[in-house]
Amino acid sequence: AQSVTQPDIHITVSEGASLELRCNYSYGATPYLFWYVQSPGQGLQLLLKYFSGDTLVQGIKGFEAEFKRSQSSFNLRKPSVHWSDAAEYFCAVVSTGGGNKLTFGTGTQLKVEL
Amino acid sequence: DGGITQSPKYLFRKEGQNVTLSCEQNLNHDAMYWYRQDPGQGLRLIYYSQIVNDFQKGDIAEGYSVSREKKESFPLTVTSAQKNPTAFYLCASSIGAGGLEQYFGPGTRLTVT
């Protein structure tokens, strides 16, 4: 079964600094990968997705992610973090068989220092 | 505006009572999903439905039940058999049975005492 690992539970960055959130997946075939963001007490919003093609994908709010098959990674990046980016971020993978269910990582809580 | 609505936002129940959480979508999506979220555990799939009148168990279906009588509605019942029902519940939908891109509702926080 596929799995997703987000090794950083909490990350703190200063406003204006760059950000990288790590995501590693375990899946035999080509994965379909997602990053979602969740503000406290809210639902999840899709930031970006990778299905195929260019391994560097652009998302909303200035985020991007790079798919690296050799490292089984799909790390999320942002060049300059804003205070409003403070939230919890989830990486997810879906298989193309068995109901196409999403498997989520445990999330990374981002704190932004002003 | 199209979207997913979940009601109520907060729900309180006494132990031993069944409770039903509402999820409605007007996106004309075929598939709908229920997730449970606990601190530090990410989201775990409870049930999902790819078409009307059909649904499948997810990873943690014990103590829960669902119905899908209408395309736009997918209510979740938390029964008294669920040992730890206090959690944040999220409903999602996707455009097709493929479920590749899911859209989420705002969630319902259930507290059982």
Side-chain angles (χ1 to χ4, degrees):
Chain A
Q2 65 271 24
S3 65
V4 177
T5 301
Q6 293 181 249
D8 303 306
I9 298 174
H10 296 98
I11 282 185
T12 300
V13 299
S14 299
E15 189 175 38
S18 63
L19 171 70
E20 182 169 25
L21 302 183
R22 296 184 290 165
C23 172
N24 293 96
Y25 65 89
S26 171
Y27 185 63
T30 299
Y32 293 172
L33 294 156
F34 304 83
W35 274 100
Y36 285 88
V37 60
Q38 184 182 34
S39 297
Q42 301 298 315
L44 275 67
Q45 181 182 21
L46 180 65
L47 283 176
L48 47 79
K49 61 192 177 190
Y50 172 78
F51 289 172
S52 64
D54 192 346
T55 56
L56 184 63
V57 294
Q58 303 297 321
I60 62 172
K61 304 185 180 187
F63 286 92
E64 66 178 27
E66 186 171 13
F67 171 63
K68 293 185 176 180
R69 184 188 301 278
S70 61
Q71 299 178 18
S72 297
S73 69
F74 188 56
N75 294 350
L76 182 71
R77 301 195 294 246
K78 188 170 185 177
S80 178
V81 170
H82 189 262
W83 64 266
S84 60
D85 293 324
E88 190 156 21
Y89 292 80
F90 292 94
C91 183
V93 63
V94 63
S95 65
T96 53
N100 295 332
K101 295 174 287 184
L102 274 178
T103 298
F104 286 85
T106 52
T108 297
Q109 186 72 47
L110 174 64
K111 180 180 176 181
V112 180
E113 291 182 332
L114 301 177
Chain B
D1 281 340
I4 301 173
T5 57
Q6 292 186 243
S7 59
K9 179 72 172 174
Y10 299 95
L11 193 52
F12 298 88
R13 281 295 183 270
K14 294 291 187 184
E15 194 173 317
Q17 294 178 335
N18 292 354
V19 58
T20 297
L21 281 61
S22 168
C23 177
E24 304 277 333
Q25 55 98 359
N26 60 4
L27 300 167
N28 199 31
H29 285 176
D30 293 307
M32 297 186 73
Y33 310 80
W34 273 106
Y35 294 89
R36 171 184 171 131
Q37 185 177 23
D38 297 282
Q41 295 194 49
L43 278 71
R44 293 180 289 168
L45 182 64
I46 303 172
Y47 268 98
Y48 64 103
S49 168
Q50 296 179 322
I51 57 173
V52 174
N53 291 322
D54 188 44
F55 47 83
Q56 288 78 39
K57 294 181 179 179
D59 300 319
I60 56 165
E62 184 175 351
Y64 300 97
S65 66
V66 294
S67 63
R68 185 88 187 276
E69 297 177 0
K70 299 185 296 182
K71 186 176 184 177
E72 59 270 24
S73 179
F74 191 41
L76 173 75
T77 297
V78 184
T79 74
S80 56
Q82 168 50 232
K83 298 200 184 322
N84 296 295
T86 294
F88 190 52
Y89 291 87
L90 287 158
C91 179
S93 69
S94 64
I95 193 166
L100 293 181
E101 188 168 330
Q102 294 183 20
Y103 297 85
F104 283 80
T108 292
R109 183 165 299 280
L110 173 65
T111 302
V112 178
T113 58

mmCIF file of all heavy atoms in Angstrom, chain B residues 7 9-10 12 14 18-20 26 28 31 34 46 55 65 72 78 84 88-89 92 95-96 110 112:
data_model
loop_
_atom_site.group_PDB
_atom_site.id
_atom_site.type_symbol
_atom_site.label_atom_id
_atom_site.label_comp_id
_atom_site.label_asym_id
_atom_site.label_seq_id
_atom_site.Cartn_x
_atom_site.Cartn_y
_atom_site.Cartn_z
ATOM 1 N N SER B 7 -22.607 20.787 7.970
ATOM 2 C CA SER B 7 -23.271 21.399 9.108
ATOM 3 C C SER B 7 -23.551 20.360 10.177
ATOM 4 O O SER B 7 -23.746 19.184 9.873
ATOM 5 C CB SER B 7 -24.590 22.058 8.660
ATOM 6 O OG SER B 7 -25.444 21.091 8.080
ATOM 7 N N LYS B 9 -21.095 23.374 12.299
ATOM 8 C CA LYS B 9 -19.652 23.559 12.446
ATOM 9 C C LYS B 9 -19.153 22.858 13.704
ATOM 10 O O LYS B 9 -18.085 22.258 13.729
ATOM 11 C CB LYS B 9 -19.344 25.058 12.522
ATOM 12 C CG LYS B 9 -17.870 25.377 12.697
ATOM 13 C CD LYS B 9 -17.089 25.104 11.431
ATOM 14 C CE LYS B 9 -15.657 25.608 11.549
ATOM 15 N NZ LYS B 9 -14.837 25.223 10.380
ATOM 16 N N TYR B 10 -19.927 22.975 14.789
ATOM 17 C CA TYR B 10 -19.605 22.316 16.057
ATOM 18 C C TYR B 10 -20.802 21.489 16.498
ATOM 19 O O TYR B 10 -21.944 21.922 16.371
ATOM 20 C CB TYR B 10 -19.282 23.353 17.145
ATOM 21 C CG TYR B 10 -18.101 24.227 16.818
ATOM 22 C CD1 TYR B 10 -18.282 25.472 16.221
ATOM 23 C CD2 TYR B 10 -16.804 23.808 17.093
ATOM 24 C CE1 TYR B 10 -17.202 26.277 15.907
ATOM 25 C CE2 TYR B 10 -15.717 24.613 16.785
ATOM 26 C CZ TYR B 10 -15.923 25.846 16.185
ATOM 27 O OH TYR B 10 -14.850 26.625 15.885
ATOM 28 N N PHE B 12 -22.085 18.739 19.685
ATOM 29 C CA PHE B 12 -21.819 18.142 20.990
ATOM 30 C C PHE B 12 -22.854 17.058 21.260
ATOM 31 O O PHE B 12 -24.051 17.268 21.029
ATOM 32 C CB PHE B 12 -21.880 19.221 22.090
ATOM 33 C CG PHE B 12 -20.849 20.299 21.913
ATOM 34 C CD1 PHE B 12 -21.124 21.416 21.136
ATOM 35 C CD2 PHE B 12 -19.608 20.184 22.508
ATOM 36 C CE1 PHE B 12 -20.170 22.415 20.957
ATOM 37 C CE2 PHE B 12 -18.656 21.182 22.343
ATOM 38 C CZ PHE B 12 -18.935 22.290 21.561
ATOM 39 N N LYS B 14 -23.773 13.437 23.895
ATOM 40 C CA LYS B 14 -23.455 12.586 25.046
ATOM 41 C C LYS B 14 -23.053 11.208 24.549
ATOM 42 O O LYS B 14 -23.538 10.733 23.503
ATOM 43 C CB LYS B 14 -24.674 12.465 25.959
ATOM 44 C CG LYS B 14 -25.079 13.770 26.623
ATOM 45 C CD LYS B 14 -24.056 14.194 27.643
ATOM 46 C CE LYS B 14 -24.554 15.411 28.431
ATOM 47 N NZ LYS B 14 -23.511 15.892 29.375
ATOM 48 N N ASN B 18 -26.218 8.213 18.935
ATOM 49 C CA ASN B 18 -25.822 8.313 17.536
ATOM 50 C C ASN B 18 -25.943 9.777 17.103
ATOM 51 O O ASN B 18 -26.799 10.519 17.601
ATOM 52 C CB ASN B 18 -26.717 7.464 16.642
ATOM 53 C CG ASN B 18 -26.521 5.971 16.868
ATOM 54 O OD1 ASN B 18 -25.636 5.559 17.619
ATOM 55 N ND2 ASN B 18 -27.355 5.178 16.243
ATOM 56 N N VAL B 19 -25.113 10.170 16.161
ATOM 57 C CA VAL B 19 -25.177 11.537 15.644
ATOM 58 C C VAL B 19 -24.878 11.516 14.150
ATOM 59 O O VAL B 19 -24.028 10.754 13.692
ATOM 60 C CB VAL B 19 -24.184 12.466 16.387
ATOM 61 C CG1 VAL B 19 -22.753 11.961 16.281
ATOM 62 C CG2 VAL B 19 -24.295 13.889 15.899
ATOM 63 N N THR B 20 -25.611 12.341 13.407
ATOM 64 C CA THR B 20 -25.432 12.385 11.950
ATOM 65 C C THR B 20 -24.850 13.725 11.529
ATOM 66 O O THR B 20 -25.379 14.778 11.894
ATOM 67 C CB THR B 20 -26.759 12.142 11.218
ATOM 68 O OG1 THR B 20 -27.225 10.822 11.541
ATOM 69 C CG2 THR B 20 -26.576 12.238 9.712
ATOM 70 N N ASN B 26 -22.826 21.082 -4.292
ATOM 71 C CA ASN B 26 -23.530 21.510 -5.501
ATOM 72 C C ASN B 26 -22.568 21.659 -6.672
ATOM 73 O O ASN B 26 -22.768 22.484 -7.561
ATOM 74 C CB ASN B 26 -24.294 22.813 -5.248
ATOM 75 C CG ASN B 26 -23.377 23.952 -4.839
ATOM 76 O OD1 ASN B 26 -22.152 23.801 -4.815
ATOM 77 N ND2 ASN B 26 -23.958 25.096 -4.529
ATOM 78 N N ASN B 28 -21.866 19.082 -8.616
ATOM 79 C CA ASN B 28 -22.230 18.012 -9.542
ATOM 80 C C ASN B 28 -21.136 16.940 -9.611
ATOM 81 O O ASN B 28 -20.906 16.317 -10.657
ATOM 82 C CB ASN B 28 -22.518 18.550 -10.944
ATOM 83 C CG ASN B 28 -23.330 17.561 -11.776
ATOM 84 O OD1 ASN B 28 -24.145 16.803 -11.242
ATOM 85 N ND2 ASN B 28 -23.102 17.545 -13.076
ATOM 86 N N ALA B 31 -18.230 11.577 -6.943
ATOM 87 C CA ALA B 31 -17.671 10.875 -5.791
ATOM 88 C C ALA B 31 -17.640 11.767 -4.551
ATOM 89 O O ALA B 31 -17.404 12.975 -4.645
ATOM 90 C CB ALA B 31 -16.257 10.392 -6.118
ATOM 91 N N TRP B 34 -15.619 10.774 3.242
ATOM 92 C CA TRP B 34 -15.575 11.239 4.619
ATOM 93 C C TRP B 34 -14.222 10.873 5.216
ATOM 94 O O TRP B 34 -13.775 9.722 5.112
ATOM 95 C CB TRP B 34 -16.669 10.598 5.461
ATOM 96 C CG TRP B 34 -17.973 11.335 5.420
ATOM 97 C CD1 TRP B 34 -19.115 10.973 4.771
ATOM 98 C CD2 TRP B 34 -18.275 12.561 6.090
ATOM 99 N NE1 TRP B 34 -20.100 11.900 4.979
ATOM 100 C CE2 TRP B 34 -19.613 12.888 5.779
ATOM 101 C CE3 TRP B 34 -17.550 13.430 6.908
ATOM 102 C CZ2 TRP B 34 -20.242 14.030 6.270
ATOM 103 C CZ3 TRP B 34 -18.168 14.566 7.395
ATOM 104 C CH2 TRP B 34 -19.503 14.851 7.078
ATOM 105 N N ILE B 46 -12.827 7.324 6.074
ATOM 106 C CA ILE B 46 -13.845 6.533 6.770
ATOM 107 C C ILE B 46 -14.684 5.750 5.761
ATOM 108 O O ILE B 46 -14.789 4.532 5.840
ATOM 109 C CB ILE B 46 -14.769 7.453 7.601
ATOM 110 C CG1 ILE B 46 -13.948 8.289 8.588
ATOM 111 C CG2 ILE B 46 -15.807 6.621 8.353
ATOM 112 C CD1 ILE B 46 -14.768 9.348 9.310
ATOM 113 N N PHE B 55 -21.496 2.679 -1.822
ATOM 114 C CA PHE B 55 -20.413 3.248 -1.022
ATOM 115 C C PHE B 55 -19.508 2.110 -0.545
ATOM 116 O O PHE B 55 -19.921 0.939 -0.512
ATOM 117 C CB PHE B 55 -20.943 4.068 0.160
ATOM 118 C CG PHE B 55 -22.031 3.392 0.964
ATOM 119 C CD1 PHE B 55 -21.719 2.477 1.959
ATOM 120 C CD2 PHE B 55 -23.367 3.691 0.729
ATOM 121 C CE1 PHE B 55 -22.712 1.869 2.702
ATOM 122 C CE2 PHE B 55 -24.370 3.087 1.470
ATOM 123 C CZ PHE B 55 -24.045 2.170 2.453
ATOM 124 N N SER B 65 -21.527 4.825 9.794
ATOM 125 C CA SER B 65 -22.357 4.380 8.681
ATOM 126 C C SER B 65 -22.658 5.582 7.798
ATOM 127 O O SER B 65 -22.597 6.732 8.237
ATOM 128 C CB SER B 65 -23.657 3.734 9.176
ATOM 129 O OG SER B 65 -24.475 4.693 9.825
ATOM 130 N N GLU B 72 -25.949 14.747 -4.445
ATOM 131 C CA GLU B 72 -25.388 15.900 -3.770
ATOM 132 C C GLU B 72 -25.226 15.713 -2.266
ATOM 133 O O GLU B 72 -24.690 16.595 -1.603
ATOM 134 C CB GLU B 72 -26.237 17.143 -4.042
ATOM 135 C CG GLU B 72 -27.679 17.019 -3.603
ATOM 136 C CD GLU B 72 -28.586 16.470 -4.687
ATOM 137 O OE1 GLU B 72 -28.081 15.765 -5.598
ATOM 138 O OE2 GLU B 72 -29.810 16.717 -4.600
ATOM 139 N N VAL B 78 -22.275 8.784 13.103
ATOM 140 C CA VAL B 78 -21.321 8.274 14.078
ATOM 141 C C VAL B 78 -22.139 7.522 15.119
ATOM 142 O O VAL B 78 -22.965 8.114 15.822
ATOM 143 C CB VAL B 78 -20.529 9.417 14.727
ATOM 144 C CG1 VAL B 78 -19.468 8.866 15.667
ATOM 145 C CG2 VAL B 78 -19.899 10.309 13.655
ATOM 146 N N ASN B 84 -13.972 6.174 20.006
ATOM 147 C CA ASN B 84 -13.386 7.500 20.218
ATOM 148 C C ASN B 84 -13.935 8.476 19.185
ATOM 149 O O ASN B 84 -13.231 8.843 18.245
ATOM 150 C CB ASN B 84 -11.863 7.434 20.110
ATOM 151 C CG ASN B 84 -11.240 6.570 21.189
ATOM 152 O OD1 ASN B 84 -11.315 6.887 22.364
ATOM 153 N ND2 ASN B 84 -10.630 5.466 20.781
ATOM 154 N N PHE B 88 -12.345 15.884 14.355
ATOM 155 C CA PHE B 88 -12.732 16.826 13.309
ATOM 156 C C PHE B 88 -13.040 16.001 12.072
ATOM 157 O O PHE B 88 -12.226 15.189 11.642
ATOM 158 C CB PHE B 88 -11.577 17.799 13.062
ATOM 159 C CG PHE B 88 -11.917 18.965 12.184
ATOM 160 C CD1 PHE B 88 -13.018 19.758 12.453
ATOM 161 C CD2 PHE B 88 -11.113 19.295 11.104
ATOM 162 C CE1 PHE B 88 -13.324 20.860 11.665
ATOM 163 C CE2 PHE B 88 -11.410 20.392 10.307
ATOM 164 C CZ PHE B 88 -12.520 21.174 10.582
ATOM 165 N N TYR B 89 -14.249 16.170 11.517
ATOM 166 C CA TYR B 89 -14.686 15.363 10.389
ATOM 167 C C TYR B 89 -14.762 16.227 9.134
ATOM 168 O O TYR B 89 -15.395 17.290 9.126
ATOM 169 C CB TYR B 89 -16.043 14.727 10.674
ATOM 170 C CG TYR B 89 -15.970 13.661 11.741
ATOM 171 C CD1 TYR B 89 -16.086 13.981 13.090
ATOM 172 C CD2 TYR B 89 -15.736 12.330 11.403
ATOM 173 C CE1 TYR B 89 -15.986 13.013 14.070
ATOM 174 C CE2 TYR B 89 -15.639 11.347 12.381
ATOM 175 C CZ TYR B 89 -15.767 11.703 13.710
ATOM 176 O OH TYR B 89 -15.666 10.728 14.673
ATOM 177 N N ALA B 92 -15.409 15.482 1.502
ATOM 178 C CA ALA B 92 -14.779 15.924 0.259
ATOM 179 C C ALA B 92 -15.541 15.341 -0.920
ATOM 180 O O ALA B 92 -16.315 14.384 -0.771
ATOM 181 C CB ALA B 92 -13.315 15.494 0.207
ATOM 182 N N ILE B 95 -14.684 15.144 -8.980
ATOM 183 C CA ILE B 95 -15.517 15.301 -10.167
ATOM 184 C C ILE B 95 -15.950 13.973 -10.757
ATOM 185 O O ILE B 95 -17.019 13.839 -11.328
ATOM 186 C CB ILE B 95 -14.793 16.174 -11.208
ATOM 187 C CG1 ILE B 95 -15.760 16.612 -12.292
ATOM 188 C CG2 ILE B 95 -13.602 15.427 -11.796
ATOM 189 C CD1 ILE B 95 -15.221 17.728 -13.154
ATOM 190 N N GLY B 96 -15.091 12.954 -10.616
ATOM 191 C CA GLY B 96 -15.447 11.669 -11.189
ATOM 192 C C GLY B 96 -15.118 10.560 -10.227
ATOM 193 O O GLY B 96 -14.582 10.783 -9.151
ATOM 194 N N LEU B 110 -16.776 17.383 16.165
ATOM 195 C CA LEU B 110 -17.677 16.624 17.024
ATOM 196 C C LEU B 110 -17.017 16.381 18.365
ATOM 197 O O LEU B 110 -15.881 15.901 18.414
ATOM 198 C CB LEU B 110 -18.036 15.288 16.371
ATOM 199 C CG LEU B 110 -18.839 14.306 17.225
ATOM 200 C CD1 LEU B 110 -20.219 14.873 17.538
ATOM 201 C CD2 LEU B 110 -18.954 12.952 16.533
ATOM 202 N N VAL B 112 -17.809 14.430 21.949
ATOM 203 C CA VAL B 112 -18.672 13.498 22.668
ATOM 204 C C VAL B 112 -18.170 13.368 24.098
ATOM 205 O O VAL B 112 -16.986 13.093 24.323
ATOM 206 C CB VAL B 112 -18.700 12.128 21.982
ATOM 207 C CG1 VAL B 112 -19.552 11.149 22.773
ATOM 208 C CG2 VAL B 112 -19.229 12.258 20.570
#
